[in-house]
C-alpha cells in the first residue's frame, strides 16, 4: 500500500512507497544558513538516500533558496533552504514497454526540500516534483 500517488506532468502516475522527513537545519548549533552549509546539507541528504536505497537511482530536485535581507557573515550571504528535507522512494509501472507489466515495475528515489510537512499527493504536489522525467531517471526491476 502506498502513502500517496502523484500525477506527473507527463501523465504517468507514481506512488510514494516510503517517505523520510527531517528538519533541514536540525542539529545546527553554530553558524548560519549560507551556500557552503547548504551545499553540505544537500550532498549529505543525497548520500543518505544513496545509502538507504542502494539498488535504486537517486535524483536530486534542485532546491530553491531564499535570501533574507540580513547582513552577510564570514561565509557569504544568508541563504535559506526550505525547512523540510525529504527522501522519497517512488514506484510506477515499468518504463520499457516490452517488459511484462505484471512482473516489472520501475523505481526512483527522489531527494527534495519543501516548506511544510505535507505529503505530496495527486495533482496538488509541488510542480517541481510533478515535472520529474521518470522515463529518463527511473530504473526498471523485476518483482
Amino acid at each position: 500500500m502506498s502513502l500517496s500517488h502523484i500525477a506527473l506532468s507527463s501523465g504517468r502516475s507514481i506512488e510514494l512507497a516510503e517517505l523520510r522527513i527531517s528538519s533541514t537545519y536540525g542539529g545546527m548549533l553554530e553558524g548560519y544558513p549560507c551556500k557552503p552549509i547548504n551545499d553540505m546539507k544537500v550532498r549529505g541528504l543525497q548520500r543518505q538516500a544513496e545509502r538507504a536505497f542502494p539498488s535504486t537511482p537517486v535524483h536530486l530536485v534542485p532546491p530553491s533558496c531564499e535570501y533574507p535581507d540580513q547582513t552577510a557573515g564570514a561565509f557569504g550571504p544568508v541563504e535559506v533552504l526550505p525547512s523540510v528535507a525529504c527522501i522519497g522512494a517512488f514506484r510506477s509501472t515499468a518504463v520499457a514497454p516490452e517488459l511484462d507489466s505484471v512482473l516489472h515495475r520501475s523505481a526512483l528515489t527522489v531527494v527534495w526540500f519543501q516548506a511544510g510537512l505535507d505529503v505530496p499527493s495527486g495533482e496538488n504536489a509541488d510542480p517541481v516534483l510533478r515535472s520529474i522525467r521518470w522515463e529518463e531517471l527511473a530504473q526498471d526491476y523485476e518483482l
Side-chain angles (χ1 to χ4, degrees):
M1 178 178 263
S2 63
L3 297 172
S4 73
H5 289 82
I6 295 177
L8 296 181
S9 303
S10 67
R12 177 182 285 271
S13 177
I14 61 173
E15 60 184 46
L16 179 59
E18 185 174 335
L19 178 61
R20 297 180 182 196
I21 297 176
S22 60
S23 169
T24 298
Y25 297 110
M28 188 170 147
L29 300 175
E30 292 187 37
Y32 63 97
C34 58
K35 182 162 180 38
I37 295 291
N38 291 343
D39 289 348
M40 284 190 297
K41 294 282 184 186
V42 170
R43 278 193 312 271
L45 193 64
Q46 192 165 8
R47 279 194 309 272
Q48 182 181 346
E50 290 165 353
R51 284 191 308 271
F53 302 96
S55 62
T56 306
V58 174
H59 172 66
L60 169 68
V61 174
S64 61
C65 294
E66 291 183 10
Y67 299 89
D69 189 18
Q70 296 177 359
T71 305
F75 298 108
V78 176
E79 179 183 280
V80 182
L81 291 168
S83 60
V84 180
C86 303
I87 298 173
F90 291 92
R91 305 286 180 262
S92 185
T93 56
V95 173
E98 68 274 7
L99 293 176
D100 183 338
S101 62
V102 174
L103 296 175
H104 295 88
R105 306 271 295 149
S106 58
L108 180 65
T109 300
V110 181
V111 174
W112 77 96
F113 293 83
Q114 62 185 34
L117 289 174
D118 300 332
V119 174
S121 182
E123 294 181 359
N124 297 325
D126 186 316
V128 177
L129 277 179
R130 293 190 63 228
S131 68
I132 289 173
R133 299 174 326 276
W134 189 267
E135 286 72 16
E136 296 173 30
L137 300 167
Q139 178 178 312
D140 288 333
Y141 65 95
E142 189 172 358
L143 295 174

